[in-house]
Coordinates of all heavy atoms in Angstrom, one line a residue:
Y208 N 145.8 88.8 111.7 CA 145.4 87.3 111.9 C 145.8 86.9 113.3 O 146.7 87.4 114.0 CB 146.1 86.5 110.8 CG 147.5 86.2 111.1 CD1 148.0 85.0 111.7 CD2 148.5 87.1 110.6 CE1 149.3 84.7 111.9 CE2 149.9 86.8 110.8 CZ 150.3 85.6 111.5 OH 151.6 85.4 111.7
Y209 N 145.1 85.8 113.7 CA 145.5 85.0 114.9 C 145.7 83.6 114.5 O 144.8 83.0 113.7 CB 144.5 85.1 116.0 CG 144.8 84.3 117.2 CD1 145.8 84.7 118.0 CD2 144.1 83.1 117.4 CE1 146.1 83.9 119.1 CE2 144.5 82.3 118.5 CZ 145.5 82.7 119.4 OH 145.8 82.0 120.4
S210 N 146.7 82.9 114.9 CA 147.0 81.5 114.6 C 147.5 80.7 115.8 O 148.6 81.0 116.2 CB 148.0 81.5 113.4 OG 148.1 80.2 113.0
L211 N 146.6 79.8 116.3 CA 147.0 79.1 117.4 C 148.0 78.0 117.1 O 149.0 77.8 117.8 CB 145.8 78.4 118.1 CG 146.0 77.6 119.3 CD1 146.4 78.6 120.5 CD2 144.7 76.9 119.7
T212 N 147.7 77.2 116.0 CA 148.6 76.1 115.7 C 149.4 76.3 114.4 O 150.0 75.4 113.9 CB 147.8 74.8 115.6 OG1 146.9 74.9 114.4 CG2 147.0 74.5 116.8
G213 N 149.3 77.5 113.8 CA 150.1 77.8 112.6 C 149.4 77.7 111.2 O 150.0 78.0 110.2
N214 N 148.1 77.2 111.2 CA 147.4 77.0 109.9 C 147.2 78.3 109.2 O 147.4 78.5 108.0 CB 146.1 76.3 110.1 CG 146.3 74.8 110.3 OD1 147.4 74.2 109.9 ND2 145.4 74.1 111.0
V215 N 146.6 79.3 110.0 CA 146.3 80.6 109.3 C 147.6 81.3 108.9 O 147.7 81.9 107.8 CB 145.5 81.5 110.3 CG1 145.4 82.9 109.8 CG2 144.1 80.9 110.5
R216 N 148.6 81.2 109.7 CA 149.9 81.8 109.4 C 150.4 81.2 108.0 O 150.9 81.9 107.1 CB 150.9 81.5 110.5 CG 152.3 82.3 110.2 CD 153.3 82.0 111.3 NE 152.8 82.5 112.6 CZ 152.5 81.6 113.6 NH1 152.6 80.3 113.5 NH2 152.0 82.1 114.8
R217 N 150.3 79.9 107.9 CA 150.8 79.2 106.7 C 150.0 79.6 105.5 O 150.5 79.8 104.4 CB 150.7 77.7 106.9 CG 151.4 76.9 105.9 CD 151.5 75.4 106.4 NE 151.7 74.5 105.3 CZ 151.5 73.2 105.4 NH1 151.2 72.7 106.5 NH2 151.7 72.5 104.3
F218 N 148.7 79.7 105.7 CA 147.8 80.1 104.6 C 148.2 81.5 104.1 O 148.3 81.8 102.9 CB 146.3 80.2 105.2 CG 145.3 80.8 104.3 CD1 144.8 80.0 103.2 CD2 144.8 82.0 104.5 CE1 143.8 80.6 102.4 CE2 143.8 82.6 103.6 CZ 143.3 81.8 102.6
V246 N 141.7 87.4 109.8 CA 141.7 86.0 109.5 C 142.0 85.2 110.8 O 143.0 85.5 111.5 CB 142.7 85.6 108.4 CG1 142.5 84.1 108.0 CG2 142.7 86.5 107.2
T247 N 141.1 84.3 111.1 CA 141.3 83.5 112.4 C 140.9 82.1 112.3 O 140.1 81.7 111.4 CB 140.5 84.2 113.5 OG1 140.7 83.5 114.8 CG2 139.0 84.2 113.2
G248 N 141.4 81.2 113.1 CA 141.0 79.9 113.3 C 139.8 79.9 114.2 O 139.4 80.9 114.8
T249 N 139.2 78.7 114.4 CA 138.1 78.5 115.3 C 138.5 77.5 116.4 O 139.2 76.6 116.1 CB 136.9 77.9 114.5 OG1 136.6 78.7 113.4 CG2 135.7 77.7 115.4
I250 N 138.1 77.8 117.7 CA 138.5 76.9 118.7 C 137.3 76.5 119.6 O 136.2 76.9 119.3 CB 139.6 77.5 119.7 CG1 139.2 78.8 120.1 CG2 140.9 77.5 119.0 CD1 139.4 79.0 121.6
G251 N 137.5 75.7 120.6 CA 136.4 75.3 121.4 C 135.4 74.5 120.6 O 135.7 73.7 119.7
F252 N 134.1 74.8 120.8 CA 133.1 74.3 120.0 C 132.5 75.4 119.2 O 131.5 76.0 119.5 CB 132.0 73.6 120.9 CG 132.5 72.4 121.6 CD1 133.0 72.5 122.8 CD2 132.4 71.1 120.9 CE1 133.5 71.3 123.5 CE2 132.9 70.0 121.6 CZ 133.4 70.1 122.8
G253 N 133.3 75.8 118.1 CA 132.8 76.9 117.3 C 133.1 78.3 117.9 O 132.4 79.2 117.5
E254 N 134.1 78.4 118.8 CA 134.3 79.6 119.4 C 135.4 80.5 118.7 O 136.2 80.0 118.0 CB 134.9 79.4 120.9 CG 133.9 78.6 121.7 CD 132.6 79.3 122.1 OE1 132.7 80.5 122.3 OE2 131.6 78.6 122.1
P256 N 138.7 82.6 119.1 CA 139.8 82.5 120.1 C 139.8 83.8 121.0 O 139.6 84.9 120.5 CB 141.0 82.4 119.2 CG 140.5 81.9 117.9 CD 139.1 82.4 117.7
A275 N 137.7 82.8 107.9 CA 138.0 81.9 109.1 C 138.4 80.5 108.6 O 137.9 80.0 107.6 CB 136.8 81.8 110.0
S276 N 139.3 80.0 109.3 CA 139.8 78.6 109.1 C 139.1 77.7 110.1 O 138.7 78.2 111.2 CB 141.3 78.5 109.3 OG 141.7 77.2 109.3
G277 N 138.9 76.5 109.8 CA 138.3 75.5 110.7 C 138.6 74.1 110.1 O 139.5 73.9 109.3
N278 N 137.9 73.1 110.6 CA 138.1 71.8 110.2 C 136.7 71.2 110.0 O 135.8 71.3 110.9 CB 138.8 71.0 111.4 CG 139.2 69.6 111.0 OD1 138.4 69.0 110.3 ND2 140.3 69.1 111.5
R279 N 136.4 70.6 108.9 CA 135.1 70.1 108.5 C 134.6 69.0 109.5 O 133.4 68.8 109.6 CB 135.0 69.7 107.1 CG 135.0 70.8 106.1 CD 134.7 70.4 104.7 NE 135.1 71.5 103.8 CZ 134.4 72.6 103.5 NH1 133.2 72.7 104.1 NH2 134.9 73.5 102.7
N280 N 135.5 68.4 110.2 CA 135.2 67.4 111.2 C 134.2 68.0 112.3 O 133.5 67.2 112.9 CB 136.4 66.8 111.9 CG 137.2 66.0 111.0 OD1 136.8 65.6 109.9 ND2 138.5 65.7 111.4
W281 N 134.3 69.3 112.4 CA 133.5 69.9 113.4 C 132.0 70.2 113.0 O 131.3 70.9 113.7 CB 134.1 71.2 113.9 CG 135.4 70.9 114.7 CD1 136.6 70.7 114.2 CD2 135.5 70.8 116.1 NE1 137.5 70.5 115.2 CE2 136.8 70.5 116.4 CE3 134.6 70.9 117.2 CZ2 137.3 70.3 117.7 CZ3 135.1 70.7 118.5 CH2 136.4 70.4 118.7
G282 N 131.7 69.7 111.8 CA 130.3 69.8 111.3 C 129.7 71.2 111.3 O 130.3 72.0 110.6
N283 N 128.6 71.4 112.0 CA 128.0 72.7 111.9 C 128.8 73.8 112.5 O 128.6 75.0 112.3 CB 126.6 72.7 112.7 CG 125.6 72.0 111.9 OD1 125.7 71.8 110.7 ND2 124.6 71.5 112.6
N284 N 129.8 73.4 113.3 CA 130.7 74.4 113.9 C 131.9 74.8 113.0 O 132.8 75.4 113.4 CB 131.2 74.0 115.3 CG 130.1 74.1 116.3 OD1 129.3 75.0 116.2 ND2 130.2 73.3 117.3
F285 N 131.9 74.2 111.8 CA 133.0 74.4 110.9 C 133.3 75.9 110.7 O 132.4 76.7 110.2 CB 132.8 73.8 109.5 CG 133.8 74.2 108.4 CD1 135.1 74.0 108.6 CD2 133.3 74.7 107.2 CE1 136.0 74.3 107.7 CE2 134.2 75.1 106.3 CZ 135.6 74.9 106.5
A286 N 134.5 76.4 111.0 CA 134.9 77.8 110.9 C 133.9 78.8 111.4 O 133.7 79.9 110.8 CB 135.2 78.0 109.4
K287 N 133.2 78.4 112.5 CA 132.1 79.2 113.0 C 132.6 80.5 113.5 O 131.8 81.5 113.7 CB 131.3 78.4 114.0 CG 129.9 79.0 114.3 CD 129.1 78.1 115.2 CE 127.9 78.9 115.7 NZ 127.4 78.2 116.9
A288 N 133.8 80.6 113.9 CA 134.3 81.9 114.4 C 134.1 83.0 113.4 O 133.7 84.1 113.8 CB 135.8 81.8 114.7
F304 N 137.8 78.4 105.2 CA 138.6 77.5 104.5 C 139.1 76.5 105.6 O 139.0 76.7 106.8 CB 139.8 78.1 103.9 CG 140.7 79.0 104.8 CD1 141.8 78.4 105.4 CD2 140.4 80.3 105.0 CE1 142.6 79.2 106.2 CE2 141.2 81.1 105.8 CZ 142.3 80.5 106.4
E305 N 139.5 75.3 105.1 CA 139.9 74.2 106.0 C 141.4 74.2 106.3 O 142.2 74.3 105.3 CB 139.4 72.9 105.4 CG 139.3 71.8 106.5 CD 138.6 70.6 106.0 OE1 138.3 70.4 104.8 OE2 138.2 69.8 106.9
L306 N 141.7 74.2 107.5 CA 143.1 74.1 108.0 C 144.0 75.2 107.4 O 143.6 76.4 107.5 CB 143.7 72.7 107.7 CG 142.9 71.6 108.4 CD1 143.3 70.2 108.0 CD2 142.9 71.7 109.9
H307 N 145.0 74.9 106.6 CA 145.8 76.0 106.0 C 145.4 76.3 104.6 O 146.0 77.0 103.9 CB 147.3 75.7 106.1 CG 147.7 74.3 105.5 ND1 147.9 74.1 104.2 CD2 147.8 73.1 106.2 CE1 148.1 72.8 104.0 NE2 148.1 72.2 105.2
G308 N 144.2 75.7 104.2 CA 143.6 76.1 102.9 C 144.3 75.4 101.7 O 145.4 74.9 101.9
Ligands
LIG571 C1 141.0 72.7 120.6 C2 140.5 72.9 119.2 C3 139.2 73.2 119.0 C4 138.8 73.4 117.6 N1 137.5 73.6 117.4 C5 137.0 73.8 116.1 C6 135.7 74.1 115.8 O1 134.8 74.2 116.7 N2 135.3 74.3 114.5 C7 136.2 74.2 113.5 O2 135.9 74.4 112.3 N3 137.5 74.0 113.8 C8 138.0 73.8 115.0 N4 139.3 73.5 115.3 C9 140.2 73.4 114.2 C10 140.9 74.7 113.9 O3 140.0 75.8 113.8 C11 141.7 74.6 112.6 O4 142.7 73.6 112.8 C12 142.4 75.9 112.2 O5 143.0 75.7 111.0 C13 143.4 76.4 113.2 O6 144.0 77.5 112.7 P1 145.3 78.1 113.4 O7 146.2 77.0 113.6 O8 145.8 79.1 112.5 O9 144.8 78.7 114.7 C14 139.7 73.3 116.6 C15 141.1 73.1 116.9 C16 141.5 72.9 118.2 C17 142.9 72.7 118.4

Side-chain angles (χ1 to χ4, degrees):
Y208 78 95
Y209 176 74
S210 187
L211 182 67
T212 67
N214 284 335
V215 169
R216 185 180 302 110
R217 191 167 158 195
F218 173 77
V246 189
T247 181
T249 305
I250 51 133
F252 293 91
E254 301 293 322
S276 171
N278 185 328
R279 288 190 195 277
N280 291 343
W281 291 85
N283 287 340
N284 284 332
F285 170 57
K287 199 173 164 201
F304 58 93
E305 200 165 16
L306 303 173
H307 51 84

